[in-house]
Amino acid sequence: MANISTSDMRSGAKVMVDGDPCSIIDNEHVKPGKGQAFNRIKLRNLRSGRVWERTFKSGDTLESADVMDTDMEYLYTDGEFWHFMAVDGSFEQHAADETAVGDTIKWLKEQEKYVVTLYNGAPLAVAAPNFIELEVKETDPGVKGDTANGGSKPAFLVTGAMVRVPLFINIGEVLRVDTRTGEYVSRATGK
């Protein structure tokens, strides 16, 4: 593996720290009035999700991590693992465990594309697309005359996620949801 100098580290770069793959969140170069310059680097452990800061002397190097972000299609779950298939033509399949799937579990929809982070061929993390369209499974009935500005009510989607929606939304409607915030965006169009 190649080594990366502290001066070349950028947000999003993947490096090995203490034997674990980590993603750099922030790299701040500090020049104190006295002494040697150093870099204060904020890291996220890709296995545990833990975020912490560490300082390195200027010019220190870290090993780059063999981590790949790959577009994959969600296939199914067998109760213990969630199965994804590469969409690059290789049709390679990977099984992600519960820690890799994490909070994305409430946005998993069959045949939808997700970004799967692979480390040595094993899924470390699964990221949902920014917006996803899901059907309303359960909500209070909408009443004619309810408007978009009149308030909101809880709606449970087919994946189990709960989203606050306008009062006019009914069961069976397909909604566009922002997966980053978990908020209702609009009704889905063109389906």
Side-chain angles (χ1 to χ4, degrees):
M1 270 294 118
N3 287 332
I4 302 175
S5 170
T6 52
S7 60
D8 296 330
M9 292 182 190
R10 305 281 178 256
S11 292
K14 312 290 194 285
V15 295
M16 296 295 290
V17 178
D18 299 332
D20 281 339
C22 298
S23 177
I24 294 174
I25 298 171
D26 190 35
N27 181 2
E28 177 185 3
H29 183 74
V30 179
K31 289 184 186 176
K34 228 177 186 180
Q36 184 179 4
F38 62 92
N39 289 60
R40 185 177 298 123
I41 298 175
K42 192 181 232 182
L43 301 156
R44 172 178 285 118
N45 186 314
L46 293 174
R47 287 187 192 186
S48 65
R50 187 182 86 136
V51 174
W52 81 100
E53 281 188 1
R54 194 173 235 187
T55 58
F56 296 94
K57 287 187 262 174
S58 276
D60 279 357
T61 60
L62 290 173
E63 182 183 350
S64 64
D66 184 21
V67 176
M68 285 185 352
D69 288 336
T70 310
D71 287 337
M72 294 194 164
E73 184 178 301
Y74 173 62
L75 299 175
Y76 65 94
T77 181
D78 60 14
E80 184 179 357
F81 293 101
W82 289 261
H83 298 269
F84 295 85
M85 179 180 67
V87 294
D88 60 5
S90 69
F91 304 107
E92 188 177 349
Q93 292 188 18
H94 294 277
D97 62 9
E98 190 172 356
T99 57
V101 174
D103 289 340
T104 306
I105 194 167
K106 61 186 174 187
W107 309 117
L108 288 179
K109 177 181 166 186
E110 290 180 4
Q111 299 172 349
E112 189 73 34
K113 288 186 178 84
Y114 296 83
V115 176
V116 179
T117 303
L118 299 174
Y119 174 64
N120 290 340
L124 269 182
V126 177
N130 291 342
F131 299 98
I132 194 163
E133 295 180 356
L134 296 168
E135 184 180 338
V136 176
K137 181 177 164 187
E138 180 184 326
T139 189
D140 295 335
V143 179
K144 188 171 180 143
D146 284 340
T147 65
N149 300 332
S152 65
K153 63 183 178 180
F156 293 91
L157 308 176
V158 291
T159 60
M162 192 281 290
V163 177
R164 304 273 322 157
V165 298
L167 298 171
F168 59 81
I169 299 295
N170 289 308
I171 294 173
E173 290 191 59
V174 179
L175 307 179
R176 184 171 170 88
V177 179
D178 187 336
T179 60
R180 298 164 295 185
T181 60
E183 294 178 0
Y184 162 85
V185 176
S186 65
R187 288 178 170 157
T189 57
K191 285 226 173 190

mmCIF file of all heavy atoms in Angstrom, residues 1-6 9 13-24 43 56 60-67 119-120:
data_model
loop_
_atom_site.group_PDB
_atom_site.id
_atom_site.type_symbol
_atom_site.label_atom_id
_atom_site.label_comp_id
_atom_site.label_asym_id
_atom_site.label_seq_id
_atom_site.Cartn_x
_atom_site.Cartn_y
_atom_site.Cartn_z
ATOM 1 N N MET A 1 0.831 -1.195 0.000
ATOM 2 C CA MET A 1 0.000 0.000 0.000
ATOM 3 C C MET A 1 0.865 1.244 0.000
ATOM 4 O O MET A 1 1.941 1.270 0.568
ATOM 5 C CB MET A 1 -0.863 0.029 1.267
ATOM 6 C CG MET A 1 -2.226 -0.626 1.179
ATOM 7 S SD MET A 1 -3.343 0.178 0.075
ATOM 8 C CE MET A 1 -3.573 -1.132 -1.071
ATOM 9 N N ALA A 2 0.347 2.291 -0.585
ATOM 10 C CA ALA A 2 1.052 3.568 -0.642
ATOM 11 C C ALA A 2 0.913 4.301 0.691
ATOM 12 O O ALA A 2 -0.037 4.080 1.439
ATOM 13 C CB ALA A 2 0.484 4.413 -1.769
ATOM 14 N N ASN A 3 1.855 5.161 0.954
ATOM 15 C CA ASN A 3 1.800 5.995 2.147
ATOM 16 C C ASN A 3 1.386 7.399 1.759
ATOM 17 O O ASN A 3 1.722 7.891 0.689
ATOM 18 C CB ASN A 3 3.152 6.020 2.855
ATOM 19 C CG ASN A 3 3.445 4.719 3.567
ATOM 20 O OD1 ASN A 3 2.535 4.018 3.974
ATOM 21 N ND2 ASN A 3 4.717 4.403 3.712
ATOM 22 N N ILE A 4 0.638 8.061 2.654
ATOM 23 C CA ILE A 4 0.171 9.421 2.419
ATOM 24 C C ILE A 4 0.790 10.319 3.480
ATOM 25 O O ILE A 4 0.715 10.020 4.671
ATOM 26 C CB ILE A 4 -1.373 9.502 2.510
ATOM 27 C CG1 ILE A 4 -2.019 8.561 1.510
ATOM 28 C CG2 ILE A 4 -1.845 10.917 2.289
ATOM 29 C CD1 ILE A 4 -3.526 8.496 1.632
ATOM 30 N N SER A 5 1.399 11.425 3.052
ATOM 31 C CA SER A 5 1.992 12.393 3.968
ATOM 32 C C SER A 5 0.881 13.235 4.599
ATOM 33 O O SER A 5 -0.177 13.445 4.005
ATOM 34 C CB SER A 5 2.956 13.288 3.199
ATOM 35 O OG SER A 5 3.372 14.361 4.003
ATOM 36 N N THR A 6 1.136 13.746 5.806
ATOM 37 C CA THR A 6 0.124 14.569 6.484
ATOM 38 C C THR A 6 -0.253 15.800 5.671
ATOM 39 O O THR A 6 -1.382 16.258 5.736
ATOM 40 C CB THR A 6 0.625 15.017 7.875
ATOM 41 O OG1 THR A 6 1.908 15.624 7.725
ATOM 42 C CG2 THR A 6 0.700 13.863 8.845
ATOM 43 N N MET A 9 -3.031 14.829 3.039
ATOM 44 C CA MET A 9 -4.295 14.234 3.506
ATOM 45 C C MET A 9 -5.439 15.208 3.294
ATOM 46 O O MET A 9 -5.355 16.371 3.674
ATOM 47 C CB MET A 9 -4.178 13.844 4.970
ATOM 48 C CG MET A 9 -3.232 12.708 5.190
ATOM 49 S SD MET A 9 -3.184 12.255 6.919
ATOM 50 C CE MET A 9 -1.800 11.153 6.903
ATOM 51 N N ALA A 13 -10.215 11.029 2.500
ATOM 52 C CA ALA A 13 -9.143 10.059 2.244
ATOM 53 C C ALA A 13 -9.243 8.920 3.258
ATOM 54 O O ALA A 13 -9.609 9.131 4.416
ATOM 55 C CB ALA A 13 -7.786 10.738 2.339
ATOM 56 N N LYS A 14 -8.918 7.721 2.821
ATOM 57 C CA LYS A 14 -8.999 6.537 3.686
ATOM 58 C C LYS A 14 -7.581 6.102 4.055
ATOM 59 O O LYS A 14 -6.744 5.883 3.191
ATOM 60 C CB LYS A 14 -9.703 5.385 2.967
ATOM 61 C CG LYS A 14 -11.020 5.748 2.285
ATOM 62 C CD LYS A 14 -12.123 6.051 3.238
ATOM 63 C CE LYS A 14 -13.497 6.097 2.629
ATOM 64 N NZ LYS A 14 -13.851 7.225 1.854
ATOM 65 N N VAL A 15 -7.311 6.003 5.373
ATOM 66 C CA VAL A 15 -5.989 5.628 5.873
ATOM 67 C C VAL A 15 -6.122 4.559 6.954
ATOM 68 O O VAL A 15 -7.206 4.361 7.515
ATOM 69 C CB VAL A 15 -5.227 6.850 6.449
ATOM 70 C CG1 VAL A 15 -4.912 7.859 5.367
ATOM 71 C CG2 VAL A 15 -6.009 7.500 7.571
ATOM 72 N N MET A 16 -4.999 3.881 7.243
ATOM 73 C CA MET A 16 -4.958 2.883 8.313
ATOM 74 C C MET A 16 -4.393 3.548 9.571
ATOM 75 O O MET A 16 -3.311 4.133 9.539
ATOM 76 C CB MET A 16 -4.073 1.706 7.914
ATOM 77 C CG MET A 16 -4.582 0.917 6.734
ATOM 78 S SD MET A 16 -6.144 0.084 7.041
ATOM 79 C CE MET A 16 -5.661 -1.168 8.196
ATOM 80 N N VAL A 17 -5.127 3.453 10.687
ATOM 81 C CA VAL A 17 -4.671 3.967 11.973
ATOM 82 C C VAL A 17 -4.924 2.882 13.005
ATOM 83 O O VAL A 17 -6.057 2.421 13.166
ATOM 84 C CB VAL A 17 -5.408 5.271 12.367
ATOM 85 C CG1 VAL A 17 -4.946 5.759 13.728
ATOM 86 C CG2 VAL A 17 -5.200 6.345 11.322
ATOM 87 N N ASP A 18 -3.874 2.460 13.692
ATOM 88 C CA ASP A 18 -3.962 1.406 14.707
ATOM 89 C C ASP A 18 -4.592 0.128 14.155
ATOM 90 O O ASP A 18 -5.373 -0.546 14.838
ATOM 91 C CB ASP A 18 -4.756 1.884 15.930
ATOM 92 C CG ASP A 18 -4.113 3.080 16.613
ATOM 93 O OD1 ASP A 18 -2.874 3.210 16.516
ATOM 94 O OD2 ASP A 18 -4.849 3.867 17.234
ATOM 95 N N GLY A 19 -4.315 -0.188 12.899
ATOM 96 C CA GLY A 19 -4.809 -1.422 12.297
ATOM 97 C C GLY A 19 -6.237 -1.376 11.806
ATOM 98 O O GLY A 19 -6.761 -2.383 11.337
ATOM 99 N N ASP A 20 -6.891 -0.230 11.916
ATOM 100 C CA ASP A 20 -8.275 -0.095 11.452
ATOM 101 C C ASP A 20 -8.348 0.907 10.297
ATOM 102 O O ASP A 20 -7.660 1.937 10.321
ATOM 103 C CB ASP A 20 -9.186 0.401 12.574
ATOM 104 C CG ASP A 20 -9.587 -0.697 13.538
ATOM 105 O OD1 ASP A 20 -9.510 -1.880 13.153
ATOM 106 O OD2 ASP A 20 -9.984 -0.364 14.675
ATOM 107 N N PRO A 21 -9.223 0.649 9.312
ATOM 108 C CA PRO A 21 -9.414 1.633 8.244
ATOM 109 C C PRO A 21 -10.197 2.832 8.786
ATOM 110 O O PRO A 21 -11.182 2.665 9.498
ATOM 111 C CB PRO A 21 -10.212 0.874 7.190
ATOM 112 C CG PRO A 21 -10.918 -0.195 7.951
ATOM 113 C CD PRO A 21 -10.038 -0.548 9.107
ATOM 114 N N CYS A 22 -9.718 4.022 8.461
ATOM 115 C CA CYS A 22 -10.355 5.251 8.934
ATOM 116 C C CYS A 22 -10.525 6.224 7.777
ATOM 117 O O CYS A 22 -9.777 6.190 6.807
ATOM 118 C CB CYS A 22 -9.499 5.911 10.016
ATOM 119 S SG CYS A 22 -9.289 4.900 11.481
ATOM 120 N N SER A 23 -11.500 7.087 7.910
ATOM 121 C CA SER A 23 -11.744 8.135 6.928
ATOM 122 C C SER A 23 -11.384 9.462 7.568
ATOM 123 O O SER A 23 -11.748 9.723 8.723
ATOM 124 C CB SER A 23 -13.212 8.128 6.521
ATOM 125 O OG SER A 23 -13.476 9.176 5.634
ATOM 126 N N ILE A 24 -10.664 10.308 6.837
ATOM 127 C CA ILE A 24 -10.285 11.619 7.364
ATOM 128 C C ILE A 24 -11.465 12.566 7.206
ATOM 129 O O ILE A 24 -12.017 12.702 6.114
ATOM 130 C CB ILE A 24 -9.045 12.157 6.632
ATOM 131 C CG1 ILE A 24 -7.848 11.261 6.940
ATOM 132 C CG2 ILE A 24 -8.773 13.598 7.020
ATOM 133 C CD1 ILE A 24 -6.610 11.595 6.164
ATOM 134 N N LEU A 43 -10.563 11.953 12.592
ATOM 135 C CA LEU A 43 -10.746 10.671 11.904
ATOM 136 C C LEU A 43 -12.042 9.994 12.309
ATOM 137 O O LEU A 43 -12.518 10.177 13.434
ATOM 138 C CB LEU A 43 -9.585 9.724 12.258
ATOM 139 C CG LEU A 43 -8.186 10.201 11.916
ATOM 140 C CD1 LEU A 43 -7.164 9.525 12.805
ATOM 141 C CD2 LEU A 43 -7.899 9.883 10.469
ATOM 142 N N PHE A 56 -0.297 14.602 14.450
ATOM 143 C CA PHE A 56 0.864 14.009 13.797
ATOM 144 C C PHE A 56 1.847 15.123 13.503
ATOM 145 O O PHE A 56 1.441 16.244 13.179
ATOM 146 C CB PHE A 56 0.466 13.336 12.473
ATOM 147 C CG PHE A 56 -0.463 12.170 12.640
ATOM 148 C CD1 PHE A 56 -1.835 12.345 12.545
ATOM 149 C CD2 PHE A 56 0.032 10.898 12.876
ATOM 150 C CE1 PHE A 56 -2.703 11.282 12.688
ATOM 151 C CE2 PHE A 56 -0.828 9.828 13.021
ATOM 152 C CZ PHE A 56 -2.191 10.006 12.935
ATOM 153 N N ASP A 60 4.894 13.399 8.769
ATOM 154 C CA ASP A 60 4.604 11.999 9.087
ATOM 155 C C ASP A 60 3.767 11.394 7.972
ATOM 156 O O ASP A 60 3.059 12.112 7.249
ATOM 157 C CB ASP A 60 3.827 11.876 10.404
ATOM 158 C CG ASP A 60 4.731 11.969 11.631
ATOM 159 O OD1 ASP A 60 5.962 12.066 11.444
ATOM 160 O OD2 ASP A 60 4.201 11.943 12.751
ATOM 161 N N THR A 61 3.828 10.084 7.837
ATOM 162 C CA THR A 61 3.028 9.415 6.810
ATOM 163 C C THR A 61 2.141 8.348 7.440
ATOM 164 O O THR A 61 2.465 7.800 8.492
ATOM 165 C CB THR A 61 3.913 8.750 5.738
ATOM 166 O OG1 THR A 61 4.760 7.783 6.371
ATOM 167 C CG2 THR A 61 4.755 9.776 5.010
ATOM 168 N N LEU A 62 1.021 8.091 6.791
ATOM 169 C CA LEU A 62 0.103 7.020 7.180
ATOM 170 C C LEU A 62 -0.125 6.133 5.966
ATOM 171 O O LEU A 62 -0.125 6.609 4.829
ATOM 172 C CB LEU A 62 -1.240 7.589 7.649
ATOM 173 C CG LEU A 62 -1.238 8.331 8.977
ATOM 174 C CD1 LEU A 62 -2.600 8.971 9.212
ATOM 175 C CD2 LEU A 62 -0.914 7.390 10.120
ATOM 176 N N GLU A 63 -0.351 4.856 6.223
ATOM 177 C CA GLU A 63 -0.626 3.911 5.144
ATOM 178 C C GLU A 63 -2.044 4.136 4.636
ATOM 179 O O GLU A 63 -2.981 4.292 5.427
ATOM 180 C CB GLU A 63 -0.480 2.478 5.667
ATOM 181 C CG GLU A 63 -0.699 1.408 4.644
ATOM 182 C CD GLU A 63 -0.622 0.006 5.239
ATOM 183 O OE1 GLU A 63 -0.228 -0.138 6.396
ATOM 184 O OE2 GLU A 63 -0.994 -0.923 4.509
ATOM 185 N N SER A 64 -2.202 4.175 3.319
ATOM 186 C CA SER A 64 -3.557 4.329 2.775
ATOM 187 C C SER A 64 -4.298 3.002 2.923
ATOM 188 O O SER A 64 -3.704 1.935 2.816
ATOM 189 C CB SER A 64 -3.509 4.774 1.310
ATOM 190 O OG SER A 64 -2.902 3.790 0.523
ATOM 191 N N ALA A 65 -5.581 3.079 3.192
ATOM 192 C CA ALA A 65 -6.397 1.887 3.424
ATOM 193 C C ALA A 65 -6.936 1.356 2.103
ATOM 194 O O ALA A 65 -7.257 2.115 1.197
ATOM 195 C CB ALA A 65 -7.550 2.211 4.365
ATOM 196 N N ASP A 66 -7.032 0.044 2.014
ATOM 197 C CA ASP A 66 -7.568 -0.617 0.821
ATOM 198 C C ASP A 66 -9.095 -0.641 0.919
ATOM 199 O O ASP A 66 -9.714 -1.665 1.134
ATOM 200 C CB ASP A 66 -7.001 -2.035 0.719
ATOM 201 C CG ASP A 66 -7.443 -2.748 -0.543
ATOM 202 O OD1 ASP A 66 -7.828 -2.057 -1.505
ATOM 203 O OD2 ASP A 66 -7.418 -3.994 -0.558
ATOM 204 N N VAL A 67 -9.684 0.549 0.806
ATOM 205 C CA VAL A 67 -11.130 0.710 0.960
ATOM 206 C C VAL A 67 -11.696 1.226 -0.353
ATOM 207 O O VAL A 67 -11.142 2.135 -0.957
ATOM 208 C CB VAL A 67 -11.444 1.701 2.105
ATOM 209 C CG1 VAL A 67 -12.919 1.960 2.210
ATOM 210 C CG2 VAL A 67 -10.918 1.164 3.420
ATOM 211 N N TYR A 119 -13.920 -3.220 2.487
ATOM 212 C CA TYR A 119 -12.554 -3.292 2.997
ATOM 213 C C TYR A 119 -12.122 -4.750 2.920
ATOM 214 O O TYR A 119 -12.734 -5.608 3.555
ATOM 215 C CB TYR A 119 -12.488 -2.783 4.433
ATOM 216 C CG TYR A 119 -11.136 -2.966 5.084
ATOM 217 C CD1 TYR A 119 -10.020 -2.311 4.588
ATOM 218 C CD2 TYR A 119 -10.982 -3.798 6.178
ATOM 219 C CE1 TYR A 119 -8.789 -2.475 5.174
ATOM 220 C CE2 TYR A 119 -9.744 -3.964 6.771
ATOM 221 C CZ TYR A 119 -8.652 -3.304 6.266
ATOM 222 O OH TYR A 119 -7.422 -3.477 6.843
ATOM 223 N N ASN A 120 -11.118 -5.022 2.101
ATOM 224 C CA ASN A 120 -10.661 -6.395 1.847
ATOM 225 C C ASN A 120 -11.816 -7.287 1.391
ATOM 226 O O ASN A 120 -11.933 -8.440 1.802
ATOM 227 C CB ASN A 120 -9.983 -6.991 3.089
ATOM 228 C CG ASN A 120 -8.657 -6.333 3.379
ATOM 229 O OD1 ASN A 120 -8.057 -5.719 2.497
ATOM 230 N ND2 ASN A 120 -8.194 -6.447 4.604
#
